[in-house]
Amino acid sequence: MNAVLILSACLSVAFGLPAGPPEDACTNMIPKHGNATVSGEPPYAVTIGSMKYATGFPVQVTVATTNATSFRGFFVQARVNDTDFVTNPALGMFSDYPAQTGGVECTAGNANSAWGHTNNNDKMSVVATWTYDGPCEDVGDLAFRVTVVQGNPASRFYTDIVSSNLMFDAEMCDTGAASYVISSIFTIITSIIVAVLAY
């Protein structure tokens, strides 16, 4: 029995955490794999489908290799990109993420405030949707902070991979509110017409 436990512990160290990033790594986003054994420019990048954010508007987020080097683990958060970037809390929520990945509760009550792997299979790219869910007000420029675990061994990981900034767009808030009002009015009018015709 002891031999099995020792072997399991060794495999965990060798291959990382197959169940995904632990919640106690939410702040520093550093894997529990010991000191990193890689340096230099990471062979991975995070790209975003929009340079703007506002409440309720989805942004596509992609973590991918830049030179065909696969990865086994990853951890992504959106944060205010100011002087406290490395300790700022996770904002927004992730959705539409693929198999082998899932949400991580880095903000109390929000099980999808961060995004990471759920197994340690090799991956070339992963894509999800991120949506800002706070009040529609300017909290500062946002950026995605990413950790990627290359693996083999698990100490091969890169931290502080950062996306381009997203800037707040108040007009997107106004457009969203207008669209909601128009949609609501259309729904009401349609209901009245249907009721009149039915009568």
Side-chain angles (χ1 to χ4, degrees):
M1 180 66 177
N2 287 338
V4 172
L5 291 175
I6 292 171
L7 178 59
S8 297
C10 290
L11 288 173
S12 177
V13 171
F15 296 111
L17 298 172
E23 290 180 14
D24 59 2
C26 282
T27 300
N28 62 24
M29 299 185 70
I30 297 175
K32 310 300 184 183
H33 300 169
N35 294 326
T37 58
V38 292
S39 59
E41 191 72 18
Y44 311 104
V46 53
T47 56
I48 51 180
S50 174
M51 306 300 286
K52 300 177 180 180
Y53 75 92
T55 303
F57 283 82
V59 177
Q60 187 179 75
V61 182
T62 303
V63 178
T65 176
T66 57
N67 68 357
T69 301
S70 64
F71 57 97
R72 293 193 167 187
F74 70 97
F75 196 16
V76 186
Q77 292 180 24
R79 298 178 172 188
V80 174
N81 192 4
D82 58 15
T83 54
D84 297 316
F85 184 59
V86 297
T87 55
N88 280 334
L91 297 176
M93 58 186 299
F94 289 90
S95 62
D96 303 326
Y97 37 73
Q100 307 185 56
T101 77
V104 182
E105 186 173 350
C106 284
T107 300
N110 183 351
N112 296 300
S113 52
W115 173 42
H117 62 286
T118 55
N119 66 34
N120 57 1
N121 294 344
D122 288 337
K123 306 165 184 65
M124 300 301 286
S125 67
V126 287
V127 182
T129 298
W130 175 85
T131 306
Y132 181 65
D133 59 350
C136 213
E137 58 189 31
D138 191 352
V139 297
D141 289 354
L142 307 184
F144 292 91
R145 186 181 185 210
V146 183
T147 296
V148 176
V149 178
Q150 182 176 323
N152 285 330
S155 59
R156 296 185 60 82
F157 62 85
Y158 296 85
T159 60
D160 295 312
I161 301 170
V162 182
S163 73
S164 301
N165 278 359
L166 291 87
M167 295 174 288
F168 177 73
D169 188 335
E171 291 185 1
M172 291 170 65
C173 293
D174 296 339
T175 301
S179 296
Y180 176 78
V181 170
I182 292 171
S183 176
S184 299
I185 292 172
F186 179 77
T187 300
I188 293 170
I189 292 173
T190 302
S191 299
I192 293 172
I193 292 173
V194 169
V196 169
L197 291 176
Y199 182 76

